[in-house]
Amino acid sequence: MGIYDSLNLEQKKGVETVEGPVLILAGAGSGKTRVLTHRVAHLIHDLGVSPFNIMAITFTNKAAGEMKERIDNLVGMGSEGIWVATFHSSCVRMLRRFADRIGYDTNFAIYDTDDSKALMKEVCKYCNVDTKQYKERTFLNEISSAKNELINEEMYASQNSADFRKEIFIRVYREYQARLRANNAMDFDDLIMKTVELLKYQTDVLKFYQDRFHYIMVDEYQDTNTAQFELVRLLASGRQNLCVVGDDDQSIYKFRGANIYNILNFEKHFPDATVIKLEQNYRSTGNILNAANSVIANNVGRKEKKLWTENDEGDKVHFEMLESAYEEADYIVRDIVRQNRNGKYGFGDSAILYRTNAQSRILEEKFIFEGVPYKIVGGVNFYARKEIKDLLSYMKTVNNSRDDLAVQRIINVPKRGIGQTSISRAMDFAINNDLDLFEALEHTDRIPNLGRASSKIEPFVELIHELRQISANEGVLALINAIIEKTGYVEELKAEKTEEADARIENINELISKVVDYEQNAEEPTLNGFLEDVALVADIDSLDESVPQVVMMTLHAAKGLEFPNVYLSGMEDGLFPSFMSITGDESEIEEERRLCYVGITRAMKRLTMTGAKTRMVRGETHYSSISRFVKEIPNDYLEGNTWEPKPRNYMDAPVDAAPKKSMKGAPLAAQTYKKQSFGTKIAKNDLDYTVGDRVRHMRFGEGEVVDINEGGRDYEVTVEFDTAGRKKMFASFAKLQKL
């Protein structure tokens, strides 16, 4: 069987169309990575293209690693010559070689989010900014947005010179960039903006890379911003052999600067482009796909396509509107426990997705109470923890002593008796004499009013010089071990004898494991390379799929993943879609609808949507209605508690009231209406429970009421018992007790 035999017709077309610009519109679960990897194999095996002349760009380290592995399996020997990397990693590689052309040393530091925040704090203090009026984050967001649009500090000043409200932003942006350059550092946005600057104004460098990259492929193209678009355009402007793969229906990162028009207007930018649609889905059941198609069809700003599958129709999407957020969390967790107990879906098969991180708190409490193992993706990043930041700052200082932020972080860690006043005097001396902080510390005898602090700073400087020798002669592992030993960092933690200290020591041990893994797998391991590797790690890269635990994450974090059993929680207007999008323009709602589409298409076999009629927000109880996205799913693909009462006691609703209509006119689960309006007639037994309640039966034990139907003189109650399974019984005989 040939390596292309498993491809469908459209996938083969995507593989074999290699000349000129190509747009592959790849729907969720349509096998886009398979197309990209087989395309590389086709270029090398069938067309004789050198691996050295192929470039593939992805968005995450995880995606890049998976692509490399798949290409290795297909291509074999020589595949290591292919350039497979993220946007940021690609830019770092180019800048490491040519950064001196734009005024940087090639060993520049890469500032992560925390570093940028710390630097901005200094800038605001220097510029006398009232941080009660303007938060550091406000400036960082403004600067990031500008850089995503390739607007440097001088362009920004020129564009906003007439707006007095922007005067403070102009001053801060200029000072922020000046300090980055003085520290020989770049933030994440600089990596791309400076690379574009390099390629645009250094024509020989552009030609160098155009001569190298004959065929360029870009994954997740719908997530590119203006700077990334320009980077790709420059690199591909020679031979025009550019293949971009993406799905406009999954463009959900507008808040990060993603520009959906890069993919919507691809044919305008590249008039000769070939467009190929991958619409066959291999991931989900038919009902899940039909639900997804029904929702996304309401968007106007999209390219027409419709997912289909040869998979079974599967179960309908199930929806439950619970009374409160606590009941919603209880319903989800109990359902996960039941599915695991019944052997249908293990903990590792299940994922809970939500619109905001704040929704995880109640779910966490329920998981802990039930003893269910879980993991939150997107919580505190491993590399953002204090002990890890401290050790990495030592390594950064050894690698690039011009990094003032790193030096400031560790100069008194562990405590050496060097106070903030002494550090400020050293900083002032450095600024006044055009030195970096470490250079100033090397000349403490020249710093005025330093006094006895001088004798405490000198051992720190000597330590850094000693560590630099160890790094140069013995490598990264020897360096981190020397840092830990010579600073006594771990010994101090051991002396605390607390669980928190033990956990921090475990984190340090994990960092050492990371160093070992890096040195074993890197072609030419260096301290600079290790710090680069660490700086480019994303939250989702830390997800260990081998551990059987329920995964919780935001919908944004879930993109690119898939799970057999998925729960979309918080399906309420005002939460999802958010209140801001409801009150904004139509493009905001369309972005939220794409996010819902992404969430639905994460599910492979079973999808449950839940909402809460009441939810506590900032200490106040808010009342909500069912999300409009749920209402956009026709009854053919949806089941469960989808009837929505008017704002009064639903027990008062007349039996013959018309069911709620969806936005497209389809009735919402009409058969569930009677189920909820049964209270309008009193049965012989006065029911004190309803659907979703936990009950106890004398024989079958505890269970959950899943359905109640009117059966003439009595009610037929369906209960999912924890041990006895699903049972139907008449209410008057069952004598169920509500728990």
Side-chain angles (χ1 to χ4, degrees):
M1 183 175 177
I3 63 171
Y4 309 117
D5 292 347
S6 62
L7 302 175
N8 63 42
L9 291 177
E10 291 304 303
Q11 288 175 332
K12 284 183 180 178
K13 187 177 178 183
V15 167
E16 295 170 354
T17 308
V18 296
E19 299 300 322
V22 179
L23 168 62
I24 300 178
L25 289 170
S30 62
K32 65 181 178 65
T33 305
R34 175 186 290 266
V35 172
L36 282 174
T37 53
H38 282 73
R39 199 173 196 270
V40 172
H42 174 63
L43 286 168
I44 296 172
H45 285 162
D46 304 332
L47 303 182
V49 176
S50 168
F52 186 76
N53 297 134
I54 300 172
M55 180 187 208
I57 304 178
T58 67
F59 266 84
T60 67
N61 295 315
K62 189 172 188 288
E66 289 175 355
M67 189 177 291
K68 280 181 183 177
E69 185 177 344
R70 292 200 197 186
I71 290 173
D72 287 344
N73 292 336
L74 282 174
V75 176
M77 188 174 295
S79 64
E80 64 275 2
I82 303 167
W83 184 304
V84 182
T86 65
F87 270 102
H88 288 101
S89 294
S90 296
C91 290
V92 169
R93 287 176 67 177
M94 296 179 196
L95 290 168
R96 288 291 181 216
R97 185 163 187 165
F98 293 109
D100 56 336
R101 298 287 197 93
I102 54 174
Y104 288 81
D105 291 345
T106 53
N107 70 329
F108 59 86
I110 301 171
Y111 276 14
D112 63 15
T113 303
D114 285 345
D115 295 329
S116 296
K117 285 180 182 176
L119 181 60
M120 182 55 71
K121 192 172 184 179
E122 289 183 7
V123 169
C124 288
K125 185 177 180 181
Y126 177 80
C127 293
N128 295 317
V129 173
D130 181 1
T131 52
K132 291 182 179 179
Q133 182 179 1
Y134 295 102
K135 301 295 183 185
E136 288 94 345
R137 171 51 52 194
T138 302
F139 293 112
L140 288 170
N141 288 342
E142 181 79 2
I143 291 171
S144 178
S145 296
K147 290 180 178 180
N148 286 340
E149 295 298 322
L150 295 174
I151 300 171
N152 64 27
E153 65 272 30
E154 295 309 320
M155 293 168 61
Y156 183 87
S158 176
Q159 292 178 12
N160 296 283
S161 59
D163 188 349
F164 73 92
R165 293 169 298 182
K166 293 287 187 179
E167 182 182 345
I168 186 64
F169 287 88
I170 293 170
R171 281 199 294 127
V172 167
Y173 192 177
R174 278 177 166 158
E175 183 64 23
Y176 177 76
Q177 285 303 113
R179 294 202 179 205
L180 279 173
R181 189 177 289 272
N183 289 356
N184 190 36
M186 297 186 196
D187 63 18
F188 263 40
D189 297 314
D190 276 331
L191 295 178
I192 297 177
M193 186 175 77
K194 294 297 181 184
T195 304
V196 170
E197 178 185 324
L198 173 70
L199 297 176
K200 189 172 281 188
Y201 298 111
Q202 302 293 322
T203 54
D204 59 324
V205 176
L206 176 61
K207 188 176 187 307
F208 172 84
Y209 285 110
Q210 286 179 340
D211 288 343
R212 170 164 183 182
F213 302 130
H214 296 185
Y215 295 90
I216 299 173
M217 285 162 279
V218 183
D219 194 11
E220 304 288 5
Y221 189 68
Q222 77 280 348
D223 293 334
T224 54
N225 58 34
T226 300
Q228 291 161 338
F229 165 79
E230 185 62 12
L231 174 70
V232 171
R233 189 195 67 78
L234 285 166
L235 292 173
S237 60
R239 290 175 171 78
Q240 295 282 308
N241 294 331
L242 171 65
C243 173
V244 301
V245 182
D247 181 6
D248 53 299
D249 289 335
Q250 296 186 72
S251 180
I252 59 173
Y253 295 122
K254 182 180 179 182
F255 68 99
R256 292 183 189 169
N259 186 350
I260 191 173
Y261 292 102
N262 288 346
I263 191 168
L264 292 179
N265 295 337
F266 186 80
E267 297 100 311
K268 292 182 181 178
H269 298 302
F270 302 94
D272 299 328
T274 300
V275 179
I276 300 166
K277 295 182 181 180
L278 305 182
E279 297 174 294
Q280 183 176 359
N281 175 283
Y282 294 91
R283 175 189 298 156
S284 305
T285 61
N287 276 320
I288 291 172
L289 286 188
N290 289 331
N293 286 330
S294 301
V295 171
I296 201 63
N298 290 277
N299 270 10
V300 176
R302 64 185 294 260
K303 290 180 176 290
E304 184 61 35
K305 57 188 169 300
K306 189 172 183 179
L307 295 181
W308 61 277
T309 184
E310 293 180 349
N311 294 339
D312 295 337
E313 285 298 294
D315 296 334
K316 288 184 178 184
V317 176
H318 187 80
F319 178 75
E320 285 291 334
M321 191 71 168
L322 288 307
E323 289 296 327
S324 68
Y326 284 96
E327 290 190 22
E328 180 194 32
D330 186 68
Y331 175 87
I332 292 172
V333 173
R334 286 181 181 274
D335 192 62
I336 289 173
V337 170
R338 183 167 56 249
Q339 297 298 325
N340 181 70
R341 185 190 299 119
N342 295 341
K344 294 180 179 178
Y345 298 99
F347 293 139
D349 296 326
S350 299
I352 306 173
L353 312 180
Y354 35 74
R355 181 65 182 84
T356 66
N357 272 311
Q359 291 170 249
S360 69
R361 180 183 66 83
I362 299 174
L363 288 161
E364 276 194 90
E365 291 175 359
K366 294 293 183 182
F367 276 130
I368 292 169
F369 180 78
E370 296 288 344
V372 176
Y374 69 94
K375 175 183 176 64
I376 295 181
V377 175
V380 178
N381 188 306
F382 177 81
Y383 296 103
R385 292 167 184 163
K386 181 185 184 302
E387 59 275 12
I388 304 303
K389 292 284 288 184
D390 288 345
L391 295 179
L392 288 177
S393 291
Y394 269 101
M395 300 172 87
K396 288 178 180 180
T397 301
V398 169
N399 182 60
N400 171 27
S401 60
R402 290 174 58 186
D403 187 346
D404 286 356
L405 285 180
V407 176
Q408 286 181 70
R409 183 179 184 94
I410 61 169
I411 189 172
N412 200 40
V413 176
K415 294 190 182 303
R416 299 182 173 89
I418 305 172
Q420 188 56 49
T421 301
S422 300
I423 297 172
S424 296
R425 286 171 179 164
M427 280 292 296
D428 291 341
F429 178 80
I431 292 171
N432 293 334
N433 291 274
D434 199 25
L435 300 171
D436 56 68
L437 177 58
F438 191 79
E439 282 180 321
L441 296 176
E442 289 177 309
H443 303 284
T444 53
D445 56 316
R446 294 167 53 191
I447 301 175
N449 303 317
L450 202 56
R452 289 181 297 176
S454 177
S455 62
K456 299 172 182 176
I457 291 173
E458 287 172 1
F460 169 73
V461 172
E462 291 171 2
L463 172 62
I464 298 302
H465 285 304
E466 183 181 357
L467 293 172
R468 197 168 285 165
Q469 289 296 317
I470 293 172
S471 175
N473 298 328
E474 302 178 47
V476 187
L477 179 59
L479 171 63
I480 191 169
N481 284 330
I483 292 170
I484 292 169
E485 179 187 348
K486 293 179 181 297
T487 61
Y489 199 104
V490 170
E491 289 304 314
E492 277 199 5
L493 289 174
K494 286 180 178 177
E496 291 182 19
K497 295 182 179 180
T498 64
E499 290 184 5
E500 181 182 353
D502 290 342
R504 293 174 66 188
I505 292 170
E506 289 174 5
N507 291 335
I508 292 171
N509 291 336
E510 185 61 27
L511 180 62
I512 294 172
S513 299
K514 167 69 178 176
V515 172
V516 172
D517 182 67
Y518 168 76
E519 287 201 328
Q520 288 178 346
N521 293 293
E523 291 182 13
E524 295 181 13
T526 63
L527 175 57
N528 202 58
F530 173 75
L531 292 172
E532 195 174 286
D533 193 37
V534 165
L536 297 173
V537 169
D539 281 345
I540 195 62
D541 294 330
S542 66
L543 177 58
D544 183 355
E545 295 174 356
S546 65
V547 179
Q549 52 192 344
V550 180
V551 173
M552 291 196 292
M553 67 182 83
T554 64
L555 286 151
H556 284 100
K559 188 166 167 292
L561 302 177
E562 59 183 36
F563 303 91
N565 184 35
V566 170
Y567 300 82
L568 295 187
S569 66
M571 299 300 296
E572 308 138 32
D573 264 10
L575 181 57
F576 190 36
S578 68
F579 177 77
M580 292 294 289
S581 66
I582 292 173
T583 56
D585 58 37
E586 189 60 29
S587 68
E588 300 295 327
I589 284 288
E590 295 211 348
E591 174 101 354
E592 293 278 292
R593 189 175 282 112
R594 290 193 293 270
L595 191 57
C596 182
Y597 174 83
V598 167
I600 292 172
T601 54
R602 297 313 94 198
M604 299 167 68
K605 296 181 179 179
R606 185 172 183 263
L607 174 63
T608 302
M609 292 178 162
T610 61
K613 295 176 185 176
T614 62
R615 193 176 295 273
M616 195 71 74
V617 180
R618 293 185 295 276
E620 297 179 352
T621 300
H622 285 221
Y623 295 85
S624 303
S625 59
I626 296 172
S627 169
R628 63 194 63 195
F629 300 148
V630 176
K631 298 174 185 177
E632 290 171 357
I633 302 174
N635 190 49
D636 291 346
Y637 320 123
L638 188 68
E639 67 175 12
N641 173 3
T642 54
W643 175 80
E644 185 173 30
K646 293 179 181 179
R648 56 174 174 156
N649 189 333
Y650 71 83
M651 299 291 280
D652 298 331
V655 176
D656 58 349
K660 186 86 172 177
K661 295 281 185 178
S662 75
M663 291 180 69
K664 301 185 74 175
L668 285 172
Q671 77 276 12
T672 65
Y673 179 75
K674 281 188 178 180
K675 171 180 81 176
Q676 286 206 353
S677 60
F678 67 87
T680 56
K681 289 174 63 177
I682 304 299
K684 290 181 179 179
N685 59 314
D686 186 13
L687 299 184
D688 63 349
Y689 52 82
T690 186
V691 173
D693 284 344
R694 295 283 295 175
V695 294
R696 179 183 289 113
H697 186 271
M698 291 179 62
R699 178 181 173 190
F700 300 128
E702 294 183 10
E704 182 178 314
V705 179
V706 296
D707 201 5
I708 300 174
N709 285 311
E710 186 176 348
R713 291 164 35 179
D714 203 349
Y715 286 99
E716 186 181 72
V717 183
T718 304
V719 180
E720 185 77 40
F721 289 102
D722 296 343
T723 55
R726 181 167 295 206
K727 304 289 183 182
K728 286 186 179 182
M729 59 200 78
F730 285 114
S732 58
F733 291 99
K735 292 184 171 53
L736 298 171
Q737 286 184 309
K738 182 179 178 181
L739 298 178

